[in-house]
Amino acid sequence: MNKIVLILLLSLFSFTIFSQSNITIKGSVSDTLGNPLIQATVLLLERQDSTMVDYTRCEMDGSFKFKDVSKGDYVVKSTYVGFLPLMIGANTMSGEDLDLGQIKMTELAEELMTVVIKAAKAPIVMRGDTIEYDASTFKVPEGSTVEDLLRRLPGIEIEQDGSISADGKDVNKVTVDGKSFFGSDPKAATKNLPAEGISKVQVFDTETSEEEVTGIKSADSDKTMNLELKEEFKKGGFGKVIAAAGTQNRTALNGPRAELKGNFNKFNDKIQFSIVGVGNNTGRNGLSWDDYRDFMGSQAFNFGDDLEFGFGGGGRGYFTFGGGDSGIESSIQSLFFNGGNSGGIPLNYNAGASFNYEHKKTKFSSVYYYNQQGLVKETQMDQSRFYDDFTSVEQGLETNDSNFQGHRMELSFEQEIDTLHSFKVTANGAFIDQTVGQVESANLFRNNVLNSQSSFDNQSDKEGYLGNATFLFRKKFKKKGRRAGINFSYLKSELDTDENQVSDSYFVANDSTAIFNYLNEDMATKDLFKANAVYVEPLGKKFFWQSFYNYSNRQETGDRIVLESEELDGFLSRNFNNTILLNRVGSSLRYSHDGYNLTAGLAHQNYDLQGDFVSENALLKGVVDKQFDNWLPYFNVDISPQRNTYLSAGYTRQAVEPNIADLQPIVDTRNPFYIREGNLNLTPELSNIYSISGNHNWPLEAIRVSLNLSYSEYDSQFSTEETVDENLVTFLRPINVEGGEERSVWSSFSFPIIKNKLTVRTNFSYDLGKRPSLVNKVENITTRQTYNPSIRVSYTPSTEFSINGSARLRITDTEYDINVSQNQRIINNNYSLTMNSKLFAKIYSNASFSYNVNVNERFNFEENVPLLNASLYRHFLPDNKLEVRVSVYDLLGRSQNISQSTFGNSVFFSTSDVIGRYFMLSLSYNIRGMKGGIEKSRWW
Amino acid sequence: MKKFLVAIIFLSISLSTFAQSLNGVIVYNRKVNYVSIMTRLPFLTSEEIDRVKLTWGNNSDNKGTNYVYFFNEAQSLYTQSEEENEGGYSWSEEKYVLQRDHKKKTVNDWREVLGKRYLVEDDLPKYKWKILNEIKEIEGYLCMKAETYDPVKDQTIHAWFSDGIIFSGGPEGFAGLPGMILELNINDGDVVVTATDIKLTPDKVDIPLPKKMKGKSIDIQGFDSIISMFIAESIAAERNPYWRIRY
């Protein structure tokens, strides 16, 4: 808009002026010998700001002419290949025609041409008669000093003793960024400074103090050299510390609340270093996605290589964030976010250090992370199980005291050998130590009649280590689109578990008591070797033929010693040795052009499962030897006709091999109420998975819609056969079942009511899961349907106030065809309101209220939990570096941790204790300052 | 030096034989430095800017995308080069066809912005160029530096043009200098478009017009106002507008 007006005005303006003026500027261009430079370009510029008014080219005799020039102060600039551009003034204020006569251009010095322009590709700048150029474009070997760089510059001589001369004159002074460097010896700077850090070398006449005063320069003065340092763009660093102390809650167990968190980070274009540390007993991990990025640096978005090559082809990948389990094969990334609070009184420590090095074609990264999670938790549990002619109810109180410690190290080295070849090596290691103490007392009812009473006391200590190394090699061929990849990985882990299980059960029916005291010593090892290869051959420009091979060899050994009341139990003590061998080979054809990607492929896989097991008393002994062969077809269509539209549809068949432990026909009687046995006839789980997804957005209107549908049907699904005796002792056996299915819908729609101020996002999801099982020889199909609508409204009228409201409903209907009278609906709804506002005198407030509704009408269960958190804060110091915050958590003191869920033929409720109400004062210091005002919500 | 001699000889031949009919095909490589663009966003704190540099700083050395500029004495066309897709996956490409008639002095572009396609029809825009005192060589051609400003995206554009190619054209729609623009540098390296292959010929180059150009008719002013509005709204909402529009 502005531009057009400007152009219009300009052209109008120039038109009026031109129409009134008819001044002619003429002249001719020649070389120093007077030979005309035919076709030399001549530009007419305004003297004030060099704006181009007109241009022309010289005639055969070297002459040029600008006609209809208006009155003004101009410069005429002539250029010709191989000559220095030349400017001369042309003032037409007098209104008369102007003849500039013969303009003589000088040839570019050959040294300047060959050394500066051609070899170094450096732009040269003309200032009057002097010429400057960028010294940083001169290539010198790594580790060179400024002296080495100067040797390459035209016009500069370096003597044996290191003294410098420029254009034949001595350089008696060297400055760095205009400042003197190490006194007056010019050699000190040039011999010591690395050439890499220099952006410009400027040489000018040294002004003596007399000249400075008089302003008159003597002709034969010495030279000063100024070295300008490179401004490092990729340099930086930040850090912050948060310390907080809170009050002690009357009901809470372990003292007042406290939190300490800090991180620090420093980087330049080659090296990134960071540390992070957190300690708290508030249950909030306190580490955000930003903290993760600050910690990992350039590795933050490196989610590990997909080593298992398959049908996919450089398409869209998935990012998964969030906490994972803290098991031994977990990664630093998933531990970093591991801070979910599900009740109890937590005590957590995390600390890590990360170092990355990246230079040209080499990348190295190393991360160390330590985490410790402690939790003391008391849980009330209530579990009902439905059978065709009766219902069992178990009510228990469990006290849990656990502590987990882990050390982890991840190293990676990546090298680009040339444009076609690269490799990557990684090595990870982990040590973990976990102690769990679990005390439970439970009553078991059969149709509301007390059946048994029992108490359990389990103490376990698990220690283990893991080592994992991978090697990945990628190759591209000269033929575009042809590429290959190969990788190997080896993983070894060992877990030692010592467990003491004491149980005391009283059975009402026959007035009997069963007491067990087991001492288990378990040692489990795993050796996993994998090798994968992929090859892609382009067929024309739009078709690709991709083939892959996956090999995996997993060896697991287990050595278990069970002592019953300090005597070796020869039946439960046993050894096993399993080998699972996978060979998968597949091939696919892909059409890929103009946003359309279609793939069809087929793979064949073979699982070879071999195992042997023997009990200590050798009464139990056997082998498992199974082979499974499966064909796996694959179809996928990805279409993106326009950048804001994406559609995808796919079909794939999946085969999952059974766990060897489930194949071994061994009875595990350690828990007297749940006795497990393996099944030698178990076959792989086979499913057909169909999916469709699409999204479209209107960026200008800020509207976005998306829809995802998926459907899986099982030809064969892992399930259980469950038999319950009159004492409510359950016997479990893994089996394969047919007829299971899963359906899911996920959709979202977001739109603004007032753009940038009032926005709405709605979501709807629906899941159906149908899973058959055998309960007391009767087939039961449990169908669970979950409806999950939600809406979120965000209102940000100014930079000083914002409010967000949301409602998330979750309705779960469970149908048990074995006992339809037990069909039930569980409701877990959440309503929340968050408000941020500026109050007065730079004080801001933040309040959030949430209301959880938990209902199960069949059990007359209804528990509503309100939670109110609020804080006041103020920023201090320049750039808001310091923040002082007063907060209150759970102001209403009515918080509890409630969970309700259904699985198989059962429904489960639990309530556990929480920290409760506390106040907290926190101080945060951020060396780079914090954002003032209200945070904008950046979601769509 | 040899290249220069060739250029000079070539130039003198061109003078005598086909001074008035210069045709050619120039391949440009366009590199976008998203880190540099992000660090200019006015709503980011200094910590957030450092975080961008930390995470993505080393990823800015990308290969760029290739564009082709076809020109004959009457017309020119600038669009993405049809590359063989190496990754085996094809992403949808934004329509970007800049077609100019240098005799009729008209613009007839096919552009896609924010999910909509437009036919931009207007008179050739005039740029106000300042000529600077710098020279450098690009692909054997000695170039001079010129500067202009685009108020729509608040960009200072430096163009390196060579009077060794007597055609007043260039990439990304920029033109109007006494020679071909062989390099563009937008906002000090945010985007750099450099000629990597220059083929000149006296034979007529056919302009490869797309078979069907469908879109809503619009003039330059209308098109620019869509972009200006989106940039202003995105900045107000603290979002980076350049994830969705071409910088």
Side-chain angles (χ1 to χ4, degrees), chain A residues 362-396:
Chain A
T362 307
K363 285 182 193 174
F364 170 77
S365 79
S366 58
V367 201
Y368 165 78
Y369 202 72
Y370 168 78
N371 79 318
Q372 183 182 335
Q373 289 166 269
L375 186 70
V376 181
K377 184 172 165 180
E378 203 173 81
T379 309
Q380 285 275 2
M381 292 180 297
D382 194 328
Q383 183 168 22
S384 304
R385 291 165 172 270
F386 312 120
Y387 304 96
D388 52 346
D389 52 351
F390 69 95
T391 299
S392 80
V393 175
E394 183 182 347
Q395 287 173 339

Side-chain angles (χ1 to χ4, degrees), chain A residues 646-711:
Chain A
Y646 173 71
L647 289 165
S648 165
Y651 160 74
T652 176
R653 187 170 168 83
Q654 213 171 53
V656 180
E657 88 278 19
N659 197 331
I660 280 201
D662 286 338
L663 279 169
Q664 293 166 344
I666 309 179
V667 184
D668 186 340
T669 55
R670 284 178 300 162
N671 185 330
F673 287 92
Y674 294 94
I675 293 164
R676 298 189 62 95
E677 191 186 357
N679 179 358
L680 200 54
N681 296 319
L682 217 53
T683 59
E685 185 170 86
L686 296 170
S687 57
N688 295 308
I689 304 166
Y690 306 84
S691 64
I692 296 177
S693 66
N695 63 58
H696 183 76
N697 62 67
W698 291 264
L700 209 53
E701 291 83 7
I703 299 172
R704 185 182 271 202
V705 287
S706 50
L707 178 67
N708 298 273
L709 306 171
S710 80
Y711 174 69

